[in-house]
Coordinates of all heavy atoms in Angstrom, one line a residue:
T582 N -10.9 -3.6 -14.0 CA -11.0 -4.3 -15.2 C -12.4 -4.3 -15.5 O -13.1 -5.4 -15.5 CB -10.4 -5.6 -15.1 OG1 -11.1 -6.4 -14.1 CG2 -9.0 -5.6 -14.9
L583 N -13.2 -3.2 -15.8 CA -14.6 -3.1 -15.9 C -15.0 -2.7 -17.4 O -14.2 -2.3 -18.1 CB -15.1 -1.9 -15.0 CG -14.8 -2.1 -13.6 CD1 -15.2 -0.8 -12.9 CD2 -15.8 -3.2 -13.0
D584 N -16.2 -3.2 -17.8 CA -16.6 -3.0 -19.1 C -17.9 -2.0 -19.0 O -18.7 -2.0 -20.0 CB -16.9 -4.2 -19.8 CG -18.1 -5.1 -19.1 OD1 -18.5 -4.6 -18.1 OD2 -18.4 -6.1 -19.7
N585 N -18.0 -1.3 -18.0 CA -19.2 -0.5 -17.7 C -18.7 1.0 -17.3 O -17.9 1.2 -16.4 CB -20.0 -1.0 -16.6 CG -21.1 -0.2 -16.1 OD1 -21.0 1.0 -15.9 ND2 -22.3 -0.7 -16.0
I586 N -18.9 1.9 -18.2 CA -18.5 3.3 -18.0 C -18.9 3.9 -16.7 O -18.1 4.5 -16.0 CB -18.8 4.2 -19.2 CG1 -17.9 3.6 -20.4 CG2 -18.5 5.7 -19.0 CD1 -18.0 4.5 -21.7
D587 N -20.2 3.7 -16.3 CA -20.6 4.3 -15.1 C -19.8 3.8 -13.9 O -19.4 4.6 -13.0 CB -22.1 4.0 -14.9 CG -23.0 4.6 -15.8 OD1 -22.6 5.7 -16.4 OD2 -24.1 4.3 -16.0
A588 N -19.6 2.5 -13.9 CA -18.7 2.0 -12.8 C -17.3 2.4 -12.8 O -16.7 2.7 -11.8 CB -18.8 0.4 -12.8
R589 N -16.7 2.6 -14.0 CA -15.4 3.1 -14.2 C -15.3 4.5 -13.7 O -14.4 4.9 -13.0 CB -14.9 3.1 -15.6 CG -14.8 1.5 -16.1 CD -14.7 1.3 -17.6 NE -13.5 1.5 -18.1 CZ -13.2 1.2 -19.5 NH1 -14.2 0.7 -20.3 NH2 -12.1 1.4 -19.9
N590 N -16.2 5.3 -14.0 CA -16.2 6.7 -13.5 C -16.4 6.8 -12.0 O -15.9 7.6 -11.3 CB -17.3 7.5 -14.3 CG -17.0 7.9 -15.7 OD1 -15.9 8.1 -15.9 ND2 -18.1 8.0 -16.5
Y591 N -17.3 5.9 -11.5 CA -17.6 5.9 -10.1 C -16.2 5.6 -9.3 O -15.9 6.2 -8.4 CB -18.5 4.7 -9.8 CG -19.0 4.6 -8.3 CD1 -19.9 5.4 -7.7 CD2 -18.3 3.6 -7.6 CE1 -20.3 5.3 -6.4 CE2 -18.6 3.5 -6.3 CZ -19.5 4.3 -5.6 OH -20.0 4.2 -4.3
M592 N -15.6 4.6 -9.7 CA -14.3 4.1 -9.1 C -13.2 5.2 -9.3 O -12.5 5.5 -8.3 CB -13.7 2.8 -9.8 CG -14.5 1.7 -9.2 SD -14.6 1.6 -7.3 CE -12.9 1.5 -6.8
D593 N -13.2 5.9 -10.5 CA -12.2 6.9 -10.6 C -12.4 8.0 -9.7 O -11.6 8.6 -9.0 CB -12.4 7.5 -12.1 CG -11.5 8.6 -12.4 OD1 -10.3 8.5 -12.4 OD2 -12.0 9.7 -12.7
R594 N -13.7 8.5 -9.6 CA -14.0 9.6 -8.5 C -13.7 9.2 -7.2 O -13.0 10.1 -6.5 CB -15.5 9.9 -8.7 CG -16.1 10.6 -9.8 CD -17.4 11.1 -9.7 NE -18.3 10.2 -9.3 CZ -19.0 9.4 -10.2 NH1 -18.7 9.5 -11.5 NH2 -20.0 8.6 -9.9
H595 N -13.8 7.9 -6.7 CA -13.5 7.5 -5.5 C -11.9 7.6 -5.2 O -11.5 7.8 -4.2 CB -14.1 6.1 -5.1 CG -15.6 6.4 -4.7 ND1 -16.5 6.7 -5.5 CD2 -16.2 6.1 -3.4 CE1 -17.7 6.8 -4.8 NE2 -17.5 6.5 -3.5
C596 N -11.3 7.1 -6.1 CA -9.7 6.9 -6.1 C -9.2 8.5 -6.0 O -8.3 8.6 -5.3 CB -9.2 6.1 -7.3 SG -9.5 4.5 -7.1
V597 N -9.7 9.3 -6.8 CA -9.4 10.7 -6.7 C -9.5 11.2 -5.2 O -8.8 11.8 -4.7 CB -9.9 11.6 -7.8 CG1 -9.6 13.1 -7.6 CG2 -9.3 11.1 -9.1
Y598 N -10.9 11.1 -4.9 CA -11.3 11.6 -3.5 C -10.4 11.0 -2.4 O -9.9 11.8 -1.6 CB -12.8 11.1 -3.2 CG -13.3 11.6 -1.9 CD1 -13.7 12.9 -1.8 CD2 -13.2 10.7 -0.9 CE1 -14.1 13.3 -0.5 CE2 -13.8 11.2 0.4 CZ -14.2 12.5 0.5 OH -14.6 12.9 1.8
Y599 N -10.1 9.7 -2.4 CA -9.2 9.1 -1.4 C -7.8 9.2 -1.7 O -7.0 8.6 -0.9 CB -9.8 7.6 -1.1 CG -11.0 7.6 -0.6 CD1 -12.3 7.2 -1.2 CD2 -11.3 7.7 0.8 CE1 -13.5 7.2 -0.6 CE2 -12.5 7.7 1.5 CZ -13.6 7.4 0.7 OH -14.9 7.3 1.3
R600 N -7.3 9.7 -2.8 CA -6.0 9.9 -3.2 C -5.3 8.5 -3.3 O -4.2 8.4 -2.8 CB -5.3 10.9 -2.2 CG -5.9 12.2 -2.1 CD -5.1 13.0 -1.1 NE -5.8 14.3 -1.0 CZ -5.2 15.5 -1.5 NH1 -4.1 15.3 -2.1 NH2 -5.8 16.6 -1.4
K601 N -5.9 7.7 -4.0 CA -5.4 6.3 -4.2 C -5.0 6.3 -5.6 O -5.8 6.5 -6.6 CB -6.5 5.1 -4.0 CG -7.0 5.2 -2.4 CD -5.8 5.0 -1.5 CE -6.3 5.1 -0.1 NZ -5.3 4.9 0.9
P602 N -3.8 5.7 -5.9 CA -3.4 5.4 -7.4 C -4.3 4.4 -8.0 O -4.8 3.5 -7.2 CB -2.0 4.8 -7.2 CG -1.5 5.1 -5.8 CD -2.8 5.3 -5.0
F603 N -4.6 4.6 -9.2 CA -5.6 3.9 -9.9 C -5.2 3.4 -11.2 O -4.7 4.1 -12.2 CB -6.9 4.8 -9.9 CG -8.1 4.3 -10.7 CD1 -8.5 3.1 -10.4 CD2 -8.6 5.1 -11.6 CE1 -9.8 2.7 -11.0 CE2 -9.8 4.7 -12.2 CZ -10.4 3.6 -12.0
L604 N -5.2 2.0 -11.5 CA -4.8 1.4 -12.8 C -6.2 1.2 -13.4 O -6.9 0.2 -13.0 CB -4.1 0.2 -12.7 CG -3.7 -0.5 -14.1 CD1 -3.0 0.4 -15.0 CD2 -3.0 -1.8 -13.8
E605 N -6.6 2.0 -14.3 CA -7.9 1.8 -15.0 C -7.7 1.0 -16.2 O -7.1 1.4 -17.1 CB -8.5 3.2 -15.2 CG -10.1 3.2 -15.4 CD -10.6 2.4 -16.5 OE1 -10.2 2.5 -17.6 OE2 -11.5 1.5 -16.2
S606 N -8.4 -0.1 -16.5 CA -8.2 -0.8 -17.7 C -9.6 -1.5 -17.8 O -10.3 -1.9 -16.9 CB -7.2 -1.9 -17.5 OG -7.5 -2.8 -16.5
G607 N -10.1 -1.6 -19.1 CA -11.3 -2.3 -19.4 C -11.6 -2.3 -20.8 O -10.9 -1.7 -21.6
T608 N -12.7 -3.0 -21.1 CA -13.1 -3.0 -22.5 C -14.6 -2.4 -22.6 O -15.2 -2.4 -21.7 CB -13.1 -4.4 -23.1 OG1 -14.0 -5.1 -22.4 CG2 -11.7 -5.0 -23.1
L609 N -14.8 -1.9 -23.8 CA -16.2 -1.4 -24.0 C -16.5 -1.9 -25.5 O -15.8 -1.2 -26.4 CB -16.4 0.1 -23.9 CG -17.7 0.6 -24.0 CD1 -18.7 0.0 -23.1 CD2 -17.8 2.1 -24.0
S610 N -17.2 -2.9 -25.8 CA -17.3 -3.5 -27.1 C -15.9 -3.8 -27.7 O -15.2 -4.5 -27.3 CB -18.1 -2.4 -27.9 OG -18.5 -2.9 -29.1
T611 N -15.6 -3.1 -28.9 CA -14.4 -3.5 -29.5 C -13.2 -2.6 -29.1 O -12.0 -2.7 -29.5 CB -14.4 -3.2 -31.1 OG1 -14.9 -1.8 -31.3 CG2 -15.6 -4.1 -31.6
M612 N -13.4 -1.5 -28.1 CA -12.4 -0.7 -27.7 C -11.8 -1.2 -26.3 O -12.5 -1.7 -25.5 CB -12.9 0.7 -27.4 CG -13.4 1.4 -28.7 SD -13.9 3.1 -28.5 CE -15.2 2.9 -27.2
G613 N -10.5 -0.9 -26.1 CA -9.9 -1.2 -24.9 C -9.2 0.1 -24.2 O -8.9 1.0 -25.0
N614 N -9.0 0.1 -23.0 CA -8.4 1.2 -22.4 C -7.6 0.8 -21.2 O -7.9 -0.1 -20.5 CB -9.6 2.1 -21.8 CG -9.0 3.4 -21.3 OD1 -8.6 4.3 -21.9 ND2 -9.0 3.5 -19.9
I615 N -6.4 1.5 -21.1 CA -5.5 1.3 -19.9 C -5.1 2.7 -19.6 O -4.5 3.5 -20.5 CB -4.3 0.3 -20.2 CG1 -4.8 -1.1 -20.6 CG2 -3.4 0.4 -19.0 CD1 -3.7 -2.0 -20.9
Q616 N -5.2 3.1 -18.4 CA -4.7 4.4 -17.9 C -4.2 4.3 -16.5 O -4.9 3.8 -15.6 CB -5.9 5.4 -18.0 CG -5.7 6.7 -17.6 CD -6.7 7.6 -17.9 OE1 -7.8 7.4 -18.4 NE2 -6.6 8.9 -17.5
V617 N -3.1 5.0 -16.3 CA -2.6 5.1 -14.8 C -3.1 6.4 -14.4 O -2.8 7.5 -15.0 CB -1.1 5.0 -14.7 CG1 -0.6 5.2 -13.4 CG2 -0.6 3.6 -15.3
V618 N -3.7 6.4 -13.1 CA -4.2 7.7 -12.6 C -3.5 7.8 -11.3 O -3.7 7.0 -10.4 CB -5.8 7.7 -12.5 CG1 -6.2 9.0 -11.7 CG2 -6.5 7.5 -13.7
V619 N -2.8 8.9 -11.0 CA -2.3 9.2 -9.8 C -2.9 10.6 -9.5 O -2.8 11.7 -10.1 CB -0.7 9.6 -10.0 CG1 -0.1 10.0 -8.5 CG2 0.0 8.2 -10.5
P620 N -3.8 10.6 -8.4 CA -4.7 11.7 -8.0 C -3.8 13.0 -7.9 O -2.8 13.0 -7.4 CB -5.2 11.3 -6.9 CG -5.4 9.8 -6.8 CD -4.1 9.4 -7.6
F621 N -4.3 14.1 -8.5 CA -3.8 15.4 -8.5 C -2.3 15.5 -9.1 O -1.6 16.4 -8.9 CB -3.7 16.0 -7.1 CG -5.0 15.9 -6.4 CD1 -5.4 14.8 -5.4 CD2 -6.0 16.8 -6.7 CE1 -6.4 14.8 -4.9 CE2 -7.3 16.7 -6.1 CZ -7.5 15.7 -5.1
L622 N -1.9 14.5 -9.9 CA -0.7 14.5 -10.6 C -0.9 14.2 -12.2 O -0.4 14.9 -13.0 CB 0.3 13.4 -10.1 CG 1.7 13.4 -10.6 CD1 2.4 14.8 -10.5 CD2 2.5 12.2 -10.0
T623 N -1.8 13.3 -12.4 CA -2.1 12.9 -13.8 C -3.6 13.2 -14.0 O -4.4 13.3 -13.1 CB -1.9 11.4 -14.1 OG1 -2.8 10.5 -13.4 CG2 -0.4 11.0 -13.8
E624 N -4.0 13.1 -15.3 CA -5.5 13.3 -15.6 C -6.2 12.0 -15.1 O -5.6 10.9 -15.1 CB -5.6 13.4 -17.1 CG -7.0 13.5 -17.6 CD -7.0 13.7 -19.1 OE1 -6.9 12.6 -19.8 OE2 -7.3 14.7 -19.7
S625 N -7.4 12.3 -14.6 CA -8.2 11.2 -14.1 C -9.0 10.5 -15.3 O -9.1 11.1 -16.4 CB -9.2 11.5 -13.0 OG -10.1 12.3 -13.6

């Protein structure tokens, strides 16, 4: 639940590397994002 793109990308890379499912959600100013990432199955 981050509002910092660098931290979100950092966690995404680590979850893909360690093959951990990842629920990415957060805000950036007026935008919101929710994405389920399953390494090597869905888009990261």
